[in-house]
Each structure stands twice: as structure tokens, then as C-alpha cells.
């Protein structure tokens, strides 16, 4: 995800309040400019929000949202008591945590190492190449994963040199395998891209600090730990909170492409479960909408939580 | 001589590197460089492997273990590419992707620029409209309700379903808003006093001043559209003439798995899957150096603006 930060709303200067008539006269054109976007948002974002009503219905596509029978929370009871729900939750949380730890630290590490390189040209080339994979599509990344994790693939070969049995790793239904595959394909695709902002932040650290520390006898490693990392801490915290907010939404299409019936038990997450209930072989729209709503609520809660965290820790907030 | 030594020293001071080289420091340097070379290789090897595989002998590919450094086979074999570029379905997919990549982000940018501008100017509805935009990042109706909206618009099975619903999002709009906010107000006011209307101020005065962030938004929406396959897989499932290239990649691989189980497979067909991946990836990687500078600058503006 790209880094983005809206200006904090609270500090915006309060507008000189014009009476409505004058405001419309002066700013009417602005509202006209916003109108198409408003239509877009209403049609493709706000109207579907009313569709969550399906989650409380015994939905029948011929009767529509308003004609179907209202059954209250039955879909949710089915969802939470279903035999796969526990597994799905475990997988969702497990993969999210891996992404929040390994996946989060990787770009910072890369940036720290990159900034230790004195040869400008080497640094530049390395940086450019490492963020190229960001432009490789998810579909292709999944294909690459298939090639390299197959029985004769490069990664399988490397792993077998370490003593692990040769196999098609993607078909391995044991626990951490799929999770790690998911995590490492993410890392492959996003580490270089994610490190760009950290490299910029590290380059902006005051050189005098390093110089003073070096004169006092601090080695390179010591300076990284005591100067560089504390200096970029606000940025790390901001990126972390941004990531917490979106962690459950990510990875959907990759998992959809990489998992197979054999690995459903370790790979199924809420979003893929929602998808299969709506477009899979055993269709249950009500259940799908219920799990979609559940996911949306969790994501919203996380986003609000992370934003509150952000506000407290760094004085910046998304909203 | 003296001057040069001084310059070198000054340069090293700027870098914050004042210590003299020690054996341990040299070792650290070697480790750092080696680690970076390994990381770089990790990024290059998979892509290189596919490029080499696409030029290989189809039959030999079945026996290849690990990653290829050079094409397997005696000489480069272009059969895969010939098959890709003589396959009307894939060419159509290519054309479709180009259409979607041109049209989707164009619609999107029209919305991003107008809405971003409207939200960057002072007005009574500015805050409420910003909240209206922002709320869509937090809560979504989910898969089924969205499908039903597209269905009731009559867009299922049409190209509109692939171009319009995903053409923008709140992040892009807010990024453009921030871009416009970053333009010095004096230049806008000067233009307004000189008689420029909103439209002129927006397009002629402000937009040229936020090229970097605009590049980031355009590029992000282009990449998003170029890589998109999921909407196509649910909205135009059965009308293959509307499939984007990415969906054909999936199809080629599935076709190959069945083709391999036949008694006498056409080994060159196996190469299609590699060739089509190269065809779907190379254009965006090749175009990249041209906008790299602006892209990085814009990314930093969006990310670390203090």
C-alpha cells in the first residue's frame, strides 16, 4: 500500500461561515465538480452498504433484498457455529500476524542495510531492482510461486539442500507452510517498495548526530541502534498503525489463486470464505453477506483502533 | 592534492562517516554488500527464469530443475511467442487490458482531480464531503451487495463492470486533495484575481504544480487496473472476448495442466504460459524508468510530508 496521510482534520482552519445562499453562489461550482464523485461513491459504495441487509435474510435472488424473508441473526449463528469458522479465524489471524511482524520488519531492515552502502550507484541500482517486483501482478507472482515451489522448482531445490523433503510445497497441508508462502510472496512483492519511505527518512537523519557519536567511539551498529532507529521511530509507528488497519483486507486475491481444496484448512481466510459462499459450488448468499459484514466490522474496528493509537503515539492521524 | 583530500573529507563528513577503515569495518561492508546482492538476486532470478523458460525447448522444460540462467535447449526457441501472438484470444485479451488500462484510470483521474480540487478549497460543505469520501475506506457492503448493484445496473457481462466500479477509491481522491493543498495558495489567488475561473485555476495553475503526486496516483491506478483479474472473473466469467490478459494467464496454466495429461502433448504449447507472463509483465517494467523519478518524488511527498 502506498503511504498516505491526510492533513489532520482538527487543525484545519475553521472557515469563515458564509450564509448558505452566498456559499452556494461562491462555491457552487466546487459542488458541481464534486457531484460526479458523489454519484460514484453513492452507487458503488453507499448503496452496497444497504445490501448488508441480506445478512439478516433468508435471501432469495428472485425475491430480491426487499422481498426475502427476514430471519434476524440466524446467518450469524450459522457462521459462528459452522465447523470451518474456527479454522478460518485461526488462518486469518495467523497470516495477519505474520504480515504484521516479518512482513513489516523486512522493508525497515532493507532500508537500514541500504543506507549503510556508501557507493551511491550501487545503492541506487539495488533500490530500483528491489522495488521492481511491486509492478509484477499478483497473478504473475502466484505463477512464479507455483513454478518455484513445485517439485522441481528452485525454492524446493534450495530447501532440499537444507534437508527438507522434495515436494510440491503449495500442496502441503501442514500448518505453517502455506502461511509462510503467503508471507514470503508478500515480502517479495512489497519489501523494496515499502523501503522507499524508510530510506528517505533515514537519509534525512541529521549527519551531525552520527558524527558526534562516531567521535565518541560509537561503532556503526551502535549508531544504527541508538541514532537511526530512534530517529525514524515516528515513521515506523505510523506505518505500523496504517498496516494494522488494513491487515485483514489484504491478501485476498493471492490466497484465492494459491489455495486448493487440499490446503483449504490452512489457507481459508474470511474473505475467501465469503467469496466461496457467494460464487463457489455451495452457494449461500446470506452466509456470505454475514461473513462479509463481520469482516467489514472487524476491519472498521481495527482501523479506528489503529487511528486512535496513531493519534496518541505520533500526533498524526488519518482522520 | 591537498584540496582533493579536503573535499573527500568534507564529503565523508556530510555522509556522517568519520571513522577510519578497520578490518572489522571492511568485513561489515562485505557482508552488507553480499546481503544486498542476494536480495537483488531474489528479485531478479524469478523474473529471469520465466524469461529464459519462455525461450526454451518445450520438451526440455519438463526436465528442468531449479532456476534457468540460460534457455534450456540448443538455441532460443520462439515458438511460445509465436503461439501467443498468433492466438487471437490472447491478443484480444491484450487489447482488452490496454483498453481497460486506458479507460479506467482516465475515468478515475477525472473524478480524482475534480473531487480532489473541490475538497481542497474552502467551502461550507468541504468537511462533510471529505467525511463522505473517507467513510468508504472504513466500511464496505461486501462482495454480494456490490455484485447486486452491478447486476441491477445491467453491467454484468459488460466492460463497464471492469472499468467503472474500480476506477478510483477514497485514498486516491484524498491523495489528490493533499496534492492540491500543497500548492502555494498565492499562485492560485493570483490566478483567480487575474480572472481565472475554478476550472482554469485547477487545470492550468494547480495541476502543473503537483505533477509528482499526480504521477503516483495515475501510476497506482494504472498498475491496479493492469493487474486486476478478480472483477473480470466474476462479472464477465463466460464472455471470454472481454477477458483481460491476467485472466488468460490463469486459463493458459489450467489448459496446460490438462494438455500434459494427454498422450502426445504439444510441448511448444507448454511455453505459452511463460511467454504470456513475459508479455503481461515486460511492458510495465520497461515503461518504468521513464516515470521512475517523478514516481519516487511523489511517493515521498505522499508519505513523509512533514
Amino acid at each position: 500500500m502506498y503511504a498516505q496521510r491526510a492533513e489532520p482534520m482538527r487543525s484545519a482552519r475553521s472557515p469563515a461561515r458564509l450564509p448558505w445562499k452566498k456559499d452556494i453562489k461562491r462555491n457552487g461550482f466546487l459542488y458541481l465538480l464534486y457531484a460526479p464523485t458523489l454519484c460514484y461513491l453513492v452507487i458503488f459504495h453507499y448503496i452496497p452498504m444497504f445490501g448488508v441487509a441480506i445478512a439478516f435474510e433468508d435471501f432469495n435472488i428472485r425475491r430480491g433484498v426487499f422481498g426475502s424473508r427476514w430471519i434476524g441473526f440466524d446467518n450469524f449463528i450459522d457462521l459462528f457455529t459452522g465447523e470451518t469458522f474456527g479454522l478460518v479465524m485461526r488462518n486469518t489471524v495467523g497470516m495477519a500476524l505474520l504480515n504484521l511482524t516479518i512482513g513489516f520488519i523486512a522493508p525497515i531492515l532493507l532500508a537500514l542495510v541500504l543506507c549503510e552502502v556508501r557507493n551511491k550507484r550501487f545503492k541506487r541500482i539495488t533500490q530500483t531492482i528491489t522495488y521492481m517486483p511491486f509492478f509484477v501482478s499478483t497473478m504473475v507472482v502466484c505463477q512464479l510461486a507455483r513454478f518455484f515451489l513445485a517439485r522441481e522448482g528452485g525454492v524446493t531445490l534450495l530447501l532440499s539442500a537444507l534437508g527438507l523433503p522434495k515436494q510440491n510445497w503449495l500442496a502441503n497441508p501442514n500448518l505453517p507452510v502455506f502461511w509462510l508462502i503467503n508471507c514470503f510472496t508478500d515480502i517479495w512483492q512489497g519489501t523494496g517498495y515499502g523501503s522507499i519511505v524508510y530510506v528517505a527518512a533515514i537519509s534525512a537523519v541529521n549527519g551531525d548526530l552520527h558524527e558526534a557519536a562516531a567521535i565518541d567511539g560509537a561503532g556503526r551498529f551502535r549508531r544504527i541502534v541508538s541514532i537511526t532507529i530512534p530517529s525514524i521511530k515516528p515513521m515506523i509507528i505510523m506505518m505500523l498503525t496504517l498496516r494494522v488497519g488494513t491487515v485483514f483486507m489484504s491478501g485476498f486475491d493471492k490466497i484465492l489463486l494459491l489455495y486448493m481444496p487440499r490446503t483449504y484448512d490452512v489457507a481459508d481466510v474470511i474473505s475467501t470464505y465469503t467469496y466461496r459462499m457467494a460464487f463457489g459450488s455451495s452457494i449461500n448468499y446470506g452466509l456470505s453477506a454475514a461473513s462479509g459484514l463481520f469482516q467489514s466490522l472487524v476491519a472498521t474496528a481495527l482501523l479506528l483502533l489503529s487511528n486512535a493509537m496513531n493519534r496518541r503515539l505520533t500526533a498524526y492521524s488519518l482522520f | 592534492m591537498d584540496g582533493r583530500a579536503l573535499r573527500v573529507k568534507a564529503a565523508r563528513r556530510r555522509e556522517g562517516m568519520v571513522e577510519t577503515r578497520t578490518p572489522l569495518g571492511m568485513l561489515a561492508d562485505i557482508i552488507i554488500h553480499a546481503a544486498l546482492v542476494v536480495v537483488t538476486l531474489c528479485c531478479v532470478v524469478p523474473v529471469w527464469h520465466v524469461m529464459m523458460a519462455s525461450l526454451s525447448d518445450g520438451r526440455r522444460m519438463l526436465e528442468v530443475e531449479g532456476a534457468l540462467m540460460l534457455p534450456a535447449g540448443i538455441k532460443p526457441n520462439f515458438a511460445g511467442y509465436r503461439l501467443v501472438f498468433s492466438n487471437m484470444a490472447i491478443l484480444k485479451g491484450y487489447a482488452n487490458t490496454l483498453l481497460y488500462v486506458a479507460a479506467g484510470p482516465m475515468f478515475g483521474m477525472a473524478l480524482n482531480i475534480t473531487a480532489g480540487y473541490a475538497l481542497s478549497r474552502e467551502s461550507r460543505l468541504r468537511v462533510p464531503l471529505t467525511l463522505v469520501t473517507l467513510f468508504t475506506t472504513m466500511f464496505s457492503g461486501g462482495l454480494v451487495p456490490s455484485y447486486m448493484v452491478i447486476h441491477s445496473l445491467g453491467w454484468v457481462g459488460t466492460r463497464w463492470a471492469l472499468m467503472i466500479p474500480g476506477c478510483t477509491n477514497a485514498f486516491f481522491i484524498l491523495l489528490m486533495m493533499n496534492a492540491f493543498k500543497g500548492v502555494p495558495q498565492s499562485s492560485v489567488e493570483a490566478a483567480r484575481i487575474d480572472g481565472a475561473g475554478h476550472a482554469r485555476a485547477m487545470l492550468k495553475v494547480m495541476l502543473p504544480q503537483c505533477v509528482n503526486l499526480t504521477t503516483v496516483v495515475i501510476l497506482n491506478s494504472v498498475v491496479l487496473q493492469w493487474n486486476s483479474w478478480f472483477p473480470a472473473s466474476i462479472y464477465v466469467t463466460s464472455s471470454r472476448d472481454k477477458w483481460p490478459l491476467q485472466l488468460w494467464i490463469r486459463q493458459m496454466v489450467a489448459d496446460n495442466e490438462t494438455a500434459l495429461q494427454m498422450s502426445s502433448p504439444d510441448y511448444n504449447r507448454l511455453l505459452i504460459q511463460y511467454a504470456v507472463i513475459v508479455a503481461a509483465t515486460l511492458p510495465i517494467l520497461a515503461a518504468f524508468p521513464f516515470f521512475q523519478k517523478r514516481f519516487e518524488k511523489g511517493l515521498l511527498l505522499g508519505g513523509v510530508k512533514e
Side-chain angles (χ1 to χ4, degrees):
Chain A
M1 203 66 189
Y2 41 85
Q4 103 93 35
R5 182 194 303 158
E7 312 257 299
M9 208 70 76
R10 286 159 299 158
S11 68
R13 65 201 150 101
S14 56
R17 286 241 150 177
L18 294 169
W20 276 113
K21 232 177 169 177
K22 259 191 169 164
D23 182 72
I24 298 281
K25 204 171 169 198
R26 177 178 292 179
N27 298 320
F29 188 69
L30 289 180
Y31 303 146
L32 206 64
L33 282 177
Y34 188 81
T37 305
L38 188 65
C39 293
Y40 169 84
L41 291 175
V42 167
I43 295 175
F44 297 110
H45 290 273
Y46 282 97
I47 293 180
M49 286 182 200
F50 292 103
V52 297
I54 298 171
F56 305 95
E57 289 173 351
D58 178 16
F59 183 68
N60 183 316
I61 207 149
R62 256 168 295 149
R63 293 210 191 127
V65 181
F66 300 107
S68 294
R69 195 164 53 90
W70 192 263
I71 54 170
F73 285 91
D74 283 7
N75 282 323
F76 289 91
I77 293 169
D78 284 352
L79 174 70
F80 295 137
T81 56
E83 48 186 316
T84 51
F85 184 73
L87 289 177
V88 167
M89 270 324 280
R90 183 199 66 183
N91 297 334
T92 313
V93 172
M95 286 194 239
L97 283 180
L98 271 184
N99 278 341
L100 268 183
T101 49
I102 309 179
F104 180 73
I105 292 169
I108 302 175
L109 269 183
L110 179 64
L112 285 174
V113 174
L114 266 176
C115 288
E116 285 301 305
V117 172
R118 296 193 189 116
N119 184 334
K120 280 268 152 60
R121 193 131 176 229
F122 182 80
K123 180 178 169 185
R124 177 97 221 106
I125 292 173
T126 316
Q127 196 179 9
T128 306
I129 293 179
T130 47
Y131 81 80
M132 281 284 202
F134 175 74
F135 295 97
V136 174
S137 73
T138 310
M139 181 68 84
V140 171
V141 169
C142 292
Q143 272 322 307
L144 295 178
R146 273 202 202 108
F147 293 147
F148 276 77
L149 294 165
R151 201 161 240 291
E152 299 81 27
V155 175
T156 311
L157 227 58
L158 276 180
L159 291 175
S160 73
L162 294 175
L164 290 160
K166 270 194 177 183
Q167 57 186 297
N168 177 5
W169 285 98
L170 275 171
N172 187 323
N174 294 326
L175 197 49
V177 177
F178 190 91
W179 293 9
L180 289 175
I181 293 172
N182 178 53
C183 182
F184 280 107
T185 43
D186 258 11
I187 288 180
W188 188 78
Q189 215 179 354
T191 298
Y193 184 77
S195 71
I196 295 177
V197 284
Y198 292 117
V199 169
I202 294 172
S203 311
V205 173
N206 191 345
D208 291 351
L209 287 175
H210 278 285
E211 200 174 333
I215 288 168
D216 288 347
R220 240 161 149 188
F221 186 71
R222 185 60 209 262
R223 292 206 307 268
I224 291 180
V225 174
S226 308
I227 298 175
T228 311
I229 292 180
S231 307
I232 61 169
K233 207 170 112 193
M235 162 140 273
I236 293 177
I237 292 173
M238 191 190 83
M239 293 308 233
L240 184 65
T241 50
L242 274 177
R243 208 169 161 120
V244 168
T246 55
V247 74
F248 276 1
M249 301 179 215
S250 60
F252 163 65
D253 52 350
K254 207 171 63 191
I255 293 171
L256 204 59
L257 288 172
L258 284 181
Y259 76 171
M260 50 182 98
R262 207 173 130 78
T263 53
Y264 277 173
D265 277 358
V266 290
D268 210 7
V269 293
I270 304 182
S271 47
T272 51
Y273 179 79
T274 308
Y275 168 79
R276 270 188 300 114
M277 285 301 126
F279 298 98
S281 47
S282 61
I283 289 174
N284 185 339
Y285 287 119
L287 202 58
S288 176
S291 74
L293 179 58
F294 173 68
Q295 182 194 355
S296 208
L297 286 176
V298 173
T300 307
L302 276 177
L303 207 64
L304 290 176
L305 187 79
S306 73
N307 194 55
M309 229 162 77
N310 211 348
R311 189 174 291 172
R312 173 149 312 169
L313 291 172
T314 63
Y316 286 113
S317 59
L318 207 51
F319 37 81
Chain B
M1 203 53 205
D2 220 1
R4 196 179 154 213
L6 269 176
R7 268 208 303 282
V8 169
K9 205 170 167 197
R12 287 181 66 181
R13 272 171 61 102
R14 268 203 305 281
E15 301 270 298
M17 307 289 176
V18 282
E19 81 266 58
T20 45
R21 296 271 173 115
T22 61
L24 205 63
M26 304 264 262
L27 185 69
D29 265 341
I30 292 169
I31 292 174
I32 285 169
H33 284 80
L36 283 177
V37 168
V38 170
V39 170
T40 311
L41 280 179
C42 285
C43 293
V44 173
V45 167
V47 180
W48 186 256
H49 168 77
V50 171
M51 277 161 70
M52 291 303 110
S54 69
L55 296 171
S56 293
D57 185 322
R59 193 182 197 112
R60 292 276 298 274
M61 262 323 282
L62 288 177
E63 294 145 20
V64 165
E65 286 207 329
L68 286 170
M69 290 299 116
L70 286 170
I74 299 135
K75 54 178 190 206
N77 173 11
F78 293 94
Y81 290 97
R82 272 201 296 277
L83 280 171
V84 164
F85 289 108
S86 63
N87 184 329
M88 281 321 284
I90 295 181
L91 285 182
K92 193 83 205 284
Y94 221 113
N96 284 336
T97 291
L98 289 180
L99 170 71
Y100 303 149
V101 163
M106 211 171 68
F107 288 127
M109 280 318 285
L111 296 181
N112 294 340
I113 291 173
T114 50
Y117 179 77
L119 295 181
S120 72
R121 310 268 81 201
E122 213 43 73
S123 70
R124 275 194 85 157
L125 285 180
R126 187 181 69 86
V127 174
L129 290 180
T130 311
L131 290 177
V132 164
T133 315
L134 210 54
F135 187 66
T136 59
T137 61
M138 294 167 46
F139 195 80
S140 78
L143 206 52
V144 177
S146 302
Y147 184 89
M148 287 174 59
V149 167
I150 308 285
H151 183 82
S152 57
L153 284 170
W155 281 3
V156 172
T158 69
R159 295 174 198 279
W160 298 112
L162 311 184
M163 294 186 291
I164 307 294
C167 72
T168 185
N169 60 49
F171 284 112
F172 290 169
I173 295 172
L174 295 177
L175 217 53
M176 276 317 288
M177 175 190 87
N178 270 351
F180 283 130
K181 272 187 180 168
V183 172
Q185 291 307 301
S186 52
S187 68
V188 189
E189 270 154 30
R192 294 301 303 274
I193 289 167
D194 286 349
H198 276 299
R200 184 176 276 259
M202 171 175 81
L203 294 173
K204 289 273 162 68
V205 180
M206 294 179 86
L207 206 52
Q209 293 187 59
C210 31
V211 186
N212 293 334
L213 260 181
T214 314
T215 312
V216 170
V217 179
I218 294 179
L219 206 62
N220 265 301
S221 44
V222 164
V223 170
L224 219 62
Q225 187 72 52
W226 180 272
N227 293 344
S228 142
W229 62 274
F230 181 71
S233 79
I234 61 174
Y235 293 126
V236 293
T237 325
S238 49
S239 36
R240 292 189 165 199
D241 59 316
K242 301 190 180 78
W243 277 14
L245 195 54
Q246 302 290 337
L247 221 48
W248 280 110
I249 296 179
R250 195 176 68 163
Q251 191 59 38
M252 287 297 115
V253 176
D255 284 354
N256 274 344
E257 271 162 24
T258 45
L260 263 182
Q261 280 149 16
M262 286 192 288
S263 50
S264 60
D266 174 5
Y267 290 108
N268 279 335
R269 273 199 62 88
L270 294 181
L271 300 177
I272 290 194
Q273 60 176 343
Y274 299 106
V276 82
I277 286 178
V278 175
T281 309
L282 221 50
I284 227 161
L285 290 186
F288 183 63
F290 295 104
F291 42 71
Q292 181 188 5
K293 268 235 168 73
R294 286 199 186 290
F295 180 69
E296 280 174 20
K297 266 188 202 153
L299 206 63
L300 298 180
L301 281 179
V304 289
K305 194 169 60 183
E306 295 298 330

